[in-house]
Amino acid sequence: MSPINPTADQPLKPFQRPRRLRRTATLRKMVRETILTVDDLIYPMFVTEGEGQKVEIASMPGCYRFSLDLLLREIAEVSQLGINAIAIFPVIPEDQKDDTGTESYNPEGLVQETVKAIKKAVPEITVITDVALDPFTTHGHDGLVDENGIILNDPTVEVLVKMALSQAEAGADFVAPSDMMDGRIGAIRKALDTQGYINVGILAYSAKYASAYYGPFRDALDSAPKFGDKKTYQMDAANSKEALKEVELDIAEGADIVMVKPALAYLDIIHQVKINTNLPVAAYNVSGEYAMIKAAAQMGWIDEKKVILETLTSIKRAGADLILTYFAKEVALMLM
């Protein structure tokens, strides 16, 4: 009769064998908990003035500044790949910038004309517009600045409201305030509703951190601040409870989707936001995260496709319902 207790000659064998469910590719697919799909992706795109322009961004290999004519072709292509939404970011010439960002709400400005053209050419795609002043200001900050270099909150919100209204009038499906000024979600929601744009949504950059991962994006738009930094309005990287406070405020003020930015160094924040809200949660896989993968791949140090998919899957696993990523087109092709 076999002994009940194991001996040195008869060690206890495991009762549970999790490896059974990893034995074949088919089994692994059957029990997979997180599945990345093209429906999860939002594609950030850069638009510039002119015609026939497709200029690669040096610090973001594979990403381009498109003039409107070529941007429309690219959007038609990504729509065919199943990408449902794009986020538009403008490259504004220096001679159109000023200290107060007045070009941001020009009804015939680059963003507004781009939105009109997209909705005419590819009406089914969801168009998200950025609401922030840094591409439009000479100083490169997301808000108005006083003589002492202080970012002014409430006067900035007034300009952001004008900007959001002009984008809604042009046909934007969502406006996305990325400035981190206090109270701007409520002010924009009230203005949109008052002007009859009740169906225009707000994707709020609710927990946007003052991150070093934004460098390549600022190269793309030539929008780096000319003095100081953005730490008086973007969040401290050390804080997590504050993120939940910001999200709670944005929801109370009328946000439809809340977002965490960046993504990879803030997976814990994405998770906390997800379990503390019933709204869709977006995450921004930002330019620095993109650039690091591209650089390592160019050096032959990583398997680029596998790392891209693993990275985006980790963001979704953390709780993101939507992912803004410069990899969107590449991933759509991988998932076909």
Side-chain angles (χ1 to χ4, degrees), residues 275-286:
I275 64 177
N276 281 283
T277 178
N278 292 321
L279 287 188
V281 176
Y284 204 138
N285 177 216
V286 298

Side-chain angles (χ1 to χ4, degrees), residues 169-307:
E169 183 179 4
D173 298 292
F174 275 82
V175 294
S178 63
D179 56 286
M180 290 300 287
M181 296 298 126
D182 295 336
R184 88 277 203 214
I185 302 301
I188 290 171
R189 184 72 269 165
K190 181 178 179 181
L192 290 171
D193 290 352
T194 300
Q195 295 299 316
Y197 300 112
I198 60 172
N199 292 321
V200 174
I202 298 178
L203 191 166
Y205 287 62
S206 299
K208 181 178 180 180
Y209 285 83
S211 172
Y213 285 95
Y214 302 150
F217 177 90
R218 291 172 182 169
D219 291 343
L221 296 188
D222 190 23
S223 62
K226 299 299 189 294
F227 66 90
D229 53 41
K230 300 191 177 187
K231 292 182 178 180
T232 66
Y233 47 101
Q234 294 178 358
M235 286 183 55
D236 188 328
N239 293 355
S240 58
K241 292 180 182 178
E242 186 183 16
L244 298 180
K245 177 181 180 180
E246 290 280 8
V247 167
E248 182 180 354
L249 287 170
D250 284 357
I251 293 172
E253 292 177 22
D256 298 286
I257 302 172
V258 294
M259 185 156 69
V260 176
K261 181 183 181 183
L264 282 181
Y266 300 87
L267 294 177
D268 60 319
I269 307 300
I270 296 169
H271 181 68
Q272 288 186 55
V273 171
K274 180 62 176 179
I275 64 177
N276 281 283
T277 178
N278 292 321
L279 287 188
V281 176
Y284 204 138
N285 177 216
V286 298
S287 60
E289 298 166 355
Y290 173 91
M292 288 192 297
I293 291 175
K294 285 292 183 180
Q298 287 179 352
M299 294 299 293
W301 295 339
I302 60 172
D303 183 317
E304 182 177 356
K305 289 185 178 181
K306 289 180 180 178
V307 170

Side-chain angles (χ1 to χ4, degrees), residues 7-311:
T7 66
D9 296 329
Q10 294 177 305
L12 179 66
K13 293 183 179 180
F15 178 70
Q16 294 286 347
R17 294 184 182 269
R19 285 185 57 194
R20 290 189 191 110
L21 299 180
R22 305 177 198 143
R23 188 169 54 85
T24 67
T26 302
L27 280 169
R28 292 193 294 273
K29 288 180 182 178
M30 287 172 61
V31 298
R32 188 160 291 154
E33 299 173 26
T34 303
I35 300 174
L36 182 71
T37 76
V38 71
D39 293 330
D40 303 323
L41 309 177
I42 298 172
Y43 195 16
M45 306 182 78
F46 302 103
V47 62
T48 188
E49 291 195 334
E51 294 183 2
Q53 299 294 310
K54 182 182 178 181
V55 180
E56 188 171 31
I57 300 161
S59 55
M60 298 176 67
C63 288
Y64 301 87
R65 303 182 188 95
F66 292 97
S67 55
L68 180 54
D69 56 334
L70 298 187
L71 181 75
L72 294 176
R73 293 185 194 177
E74 184 75 359
I75 291 172
E77 183 177 336
V78 300
S79 180
Q80 288 295 314
L81 292 173
I83 294 172
N84 296 315
I86 57 172
I88 298 298
F89 296 93
V91 182
I92 303 300
E94 286 298 322
D95 61 3
Q96 293 181 16
K97 297 180 181 182
D98 59 28
D99 288 347
T100 56
T102 53
E103 181 64 18
S104 67
Y105 53 88
N106 177 2
E108 298 178 352
L110 178 59
V111 172
Q112 291 77 3
E113 292 300 313
T114 297
V115 172
K116 293 174 190 174
I118 295 170
K119 296 308 292 185
K120 182 177 180 180
V122 193
E124 66 274 14
I125 203 157
T126 297
V127 177
I128 301 167
T129 48
D130 183 50
V131 180
L133 294 183
D134 51 327
F136 300 93
T137 56
T138 51
H139 46 71
H141 278 284
D142 296 44
L144 305 185
V145 181
D146 71 8
E147 62 275 8
N148 297 314
I150 304 298
I151 310 301
L152 302 173
N153 193 94
D154 295 1
T156 297
V157 171
E158 293 178 12
V159 181
L160 297 175
V161 167
K162 294 178 182 179
M163 185 178 179
L165 285 173
S166 73
Q167 294 171 352
E169 183 179 4
D173 298 292
F174 275 82
V175 294
S178 63
D179 56 286
M180 290 300 287
M181 296 298 126
D182 295 336
R184 88 277 203 214
I185 302 301
I188 290 171
R189 184 72 269 165
K190 181 178 179 181
L192 290 171
D193 290 352
T194 300
Q195 295 299 316
Y197 300 112
I198 60 172
N199 292 321
V200 174
I202 298 178
L203 191 166
Y205 287 62
S206 299
K208 181 178 180 180
Y209 285 83
S211 172
Y213 285 95
Y214 302 150
F217 177 90
R218 291 172 182 169
D219 291 343
L221 296 188
D222 190 23
S223 62
K226 299 299 189 294
F227 66 90
D229 53 41
K230 300 191 177 187
K231 292 182 178 180
T232 66
Y233 47 101
Q234 294 178 358
M235 286 183 55
D236 188 328
N239 293 355
S240 58
K241 292 180 182 178
E242 186 183 16
L244 298 180
K245 177 181 180 180
E246 290 280 8
V247 167
E248 182 180 354
L249 287 170
D250 284 357
I251 293 172
E253 292 177 22
D256 298 286
I257 302 172
V258 294
M259 185 156 69
V260 176
K261 181 183 181 183
L264 282 181
Y266 300 87
L267 294 177
D268 60 319
I269 307 300
I270 296 169
H271 181 68
Q272 288 186 55
V273 171
K274 180 62 176 179
I275 64 177
N276 281 283
T277 178
N278 292 321
L279 287 188
V281 176
Y284 204 138
N285 177 216
V286 298
S287 60
E289 298 166 355
Y290 173 91
M292 288 192 297
I293 291 175
K294 285 292 183 180
Q298 287 179 352
M299 294 299 293
W301 295 339
I302 60 172
D303 183 317
E304 182 177 356
K305 289 185 178 181
K306 289 180 180 178
V307 170
I308 290 170
L309 291 174
E310 184 176 343
T311 297

